[in-house]
């Protein structure tokens, strides 16, 4: 059984309700039909029911078991307006502005449904920029207790791969923090370890990636990763973490022996922490050239599960991210 099939099985055990606000995207319609067919989650779509069902007919899929909520006609609109106003009034929100936003922005509407406990999580981003998904989530749901910052990760499943956890890896941060500080990198490593443990079930073995391995290069970028590793050891002593190291030293045992002898991480890593987003986009190379399944960017550190999608995602990717979001909701 593949990794994502195991996640789907976990999702079915305690079925959650996930909002898909991008009802005008055909990939979302296809994914919603498959999700309810497989019993992975209950689905709420936001929009005009007639248009959604017309789209389903054109695509020849069954969305009869999907709940459709139209912001313009839902009897809960006033409650949602008040909730958004109360949540954001310190930032200048007014009831009139809250109503305008909820009637025009389905992503914010979806997040408010999660805030109101009318849904357990939301997945969006197939036709919106990452910022459009993250902004309302951060503004309305905020960070989970004890979390220093929200970060993004991908779960990567590489076929026929001898490295990582049977070819499964967590890559972070690949979608949110552009140039994290050393302390932020350490916090991302800690959050990523918990995400890997909860979603994969194996021991997280964390490599702090760099273009240098154990002092082979000198540069402020290397210094940041070295300092991040030191902070992680100090602030999160339970982590199995090492750095700085190049990806081949992190993954390949034979190379690890020569580049990082004695490291408990080198050659065994399954969680890869990138020093910035310019490096983090490497997940696209693994996905496209290595034919890996890439699920995300998932978010870690938000009070309730909201996850982003790449605008290049397939409908199958959406199904996988919804399954992962449902499992996150079980754990939250």
């Amino acid at each position: 059984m593949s990794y994502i099939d195991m996640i789907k099985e976990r999702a079915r055990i305690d079925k959650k309700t996930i909002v898909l606000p991008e009802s005008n995207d055909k990939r979302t319609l296809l994914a919603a039909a498959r999700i309810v067919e497989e019993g992975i989650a209950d689905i709420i779509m936001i929009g005009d029911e007639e248009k959604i069902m017309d789209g389903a007919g054109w695509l020849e899929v069954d969305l009869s078991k999907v709940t459709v909520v139209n912001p313009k006609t839902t009897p809960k609109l006033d409650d949602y307006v008040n909730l958004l106003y109360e949540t954001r009034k310190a930032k200048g929100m007014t009831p009139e502005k809250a109503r305008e936003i909820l009637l025009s922005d389905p992503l914010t509407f979806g997040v408010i449904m999660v805030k109101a406990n009318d849904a357990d999580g939301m997945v969006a981003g197939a036709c919106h920029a990452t910022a459009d998904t993250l902004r309302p989530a951060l503004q309305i749901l905020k960070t989970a207790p004890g979390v220093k910052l929200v970060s993004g990760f991908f779960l990567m499943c590489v076929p026929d791969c001898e490295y990582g956890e049977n070819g499964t890896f967590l890559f972070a941060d690949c979608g949110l923090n552009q140039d994290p500080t050393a302390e932020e990198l350490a916090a991302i490593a800690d959050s990523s370890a918990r995400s890997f443990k909860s979603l994969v079930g194996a021991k997280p073995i964390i490599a702090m990636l760099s273009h240098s391995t154990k002092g082979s290069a000198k540069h402020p970028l290397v210094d940041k990763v070295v300092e991040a590793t030191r902070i992680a050891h100090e602030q999160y002593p339970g982590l199995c973490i090492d750095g700085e190291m190049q990806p081949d030293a992190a993954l390949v045992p034979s190379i690890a022996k020569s580049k990082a002898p004695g490291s408990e991480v080198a050659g065994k890593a399954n969680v890869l922490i990138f020093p910035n987003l310019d490096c983090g986009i490497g997940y696209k190379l693994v996905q496209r050239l290595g034919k890996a399944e890439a699920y995300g960017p998932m978010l870690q550190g938000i009070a309730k599960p909201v996850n982003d999608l790449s605008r290049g995602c397939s409908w199958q990717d959406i199904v996988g991210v919804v399954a992962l979001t449902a499992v996150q909701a079980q754990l939250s």
Side-chain angles (χ1 to χ4, degrees):
M1 182 182 292
S2 70
Y3 168 71
I4 202 62
D5 285 336
M6 289 188 288
I7 286 292
K8 290 177 181 179
E9 283 295 321
R10 288 176 63 183
R12 292 185 189 102
I13 292 171
D14 179 16
K15 194 185 293 187
K16 298 298 181 182
T17 299
I18 306 300
V19 180
L20 298 178
E22 296 170 312
S23 60
N24 60 342
D25 186 276
K26 70 177 184 179
R27 293 166 296 174
T28 302
L29 300 181
L30 291 167
R34 178 59 62 89
I35 290 159
V36 295
E37 178 186 339
E38 294 189 19
I40 297 166
D42 293 324
I43 294 296
I44 296 173
M45 302 194 79
I46 298 171
D48 181 275
E49 184 169 10
E50 184 176 352
K51 291 181 179 179
I52 291 171
M53 294 308 165
D54 283 348
W58 180 70
L59 293 168
E60 299 183 341
V61 296
D62 180 10
L63 292 179
S64 61
K65 295 181 180 179
V66 167
T67 299
V68 177
V69 175
N70 187 334
K72 296 178 182 179
T73 59
T74 177
K76 290 193 173 184
L77 178 59
D78 288 343
D79 292 337
Y80 293 156
V81 167
N82 187 60
L83 180 57
L84 179 55
Y85 164 65
E86 290 293 335
T87 303
R88 298 287 295 160
K89 64 183 180 182
K91 299 295 184 179
M93 182 65 67
T94 65
E96 294 76 18
K97 185 64 175 177
R99 184 176 298 273
E100 178 186 342
I101 291 171
L102 290 173
L103 288 174
S104 61
D105 181 11
L107 276 67
T108 299
F109 193 95
V111 172
I112 277 291
M113 293 192 74
V114 177
K115 177 75 171 179
N117 295 318
D118 289 333
D120 300 301
M122 186 183 86
V123 173
C127 52
H128 287 84
T130 293
D132 295 327
T133 303
L134 299 186
R135 189 182 305 108
L138 293 171
Q139 290 176 343
I140 295 167
L141 299 174
K142 307 187 188 303
T143 57
V147 173
K148 292 184 178 180
L149 82 164
V150 175
S151 55
F153 68 92
F154 275 84
L155 278 169
M156 307 293 297
C157 300
V158 185
D160 303 317
C161 179
E162 62 193 282
Y163 308 122
E165 181 60 28
N166 299 315
T168 298
F169 302 85
L170 187 151
F171 288 9
D173 184 331
C174 298
L176 184 53
N177 296 285
Q178 287 187 310
D179 188 17
T181 65
E183 187 166 11
E184 288 170 339
L185 275 180
I188 290 168
D190 180 57
S191 293
S192 298
R194 286 185 272 114
S195 292
F196 188 84
K197 180 65 177 178
S198 63
L199 293 174
V200 180
K203 177 183 177 181
I205 304 173
I206 309 161
M208 305 294 277
L209 297 185
S210 172
H211 66 273
S212 169
T213 298
K214 298 298 184 179
S216 64
K218 303 296 182 184
H219 192 276
L221 291 174
V222 177
D223 296 340
K224 181 177 79 168
V225 177
V226 171
E227 177 65 5
T229 306
R230 185 197 66 77
I231 292 170
H233 281 300
E234 180 181 281
Q235 296 188 4
Y236 314 106
L239 295 182
C240 179
I241 185 170
D242 199 8
E244 85 288 10
M245 64 180 65
Q246 297 160 308
D248 57 353
L251 298 173
V252 184
S254 60
I255 295 175
K257 288 180 181 178
S258 61
K259 286 191 173 184
S263 171
E264 64 175 347
V265 169
K268 304 173 185 176
N270 49 33
V271 175
L272 304 182
I273 306 300
F274 295 86
N276 55 44
L277 286 193
D278 283 336
C279 297
I281 60 172
Y283 86 85
K284 291 181 181 286
L285 294 173
V286 178
Q287 179 186 22
R288 301 302 179 182
L289 301 182
K291 303 186 185 303
E293 297 173 10
Y295 298 105
M298 309 287 291
L299 299 181
Q300 51 194 5
I302 293 181
K304 293 186 178 183
V306 171
N307 287 311
D308 192 20
L309 296 161
S310 168
R311 279 175 284 179
C313 69
S314 66
W315 69 263
Q316 294 94 334
D317 294 332
I318 300 174
V319 173
V321 173
V322 167
L324 285 159
T325 305
V327 171
Q328 282 184 317
Q330 292 173 355
L331 299 168
S332 63

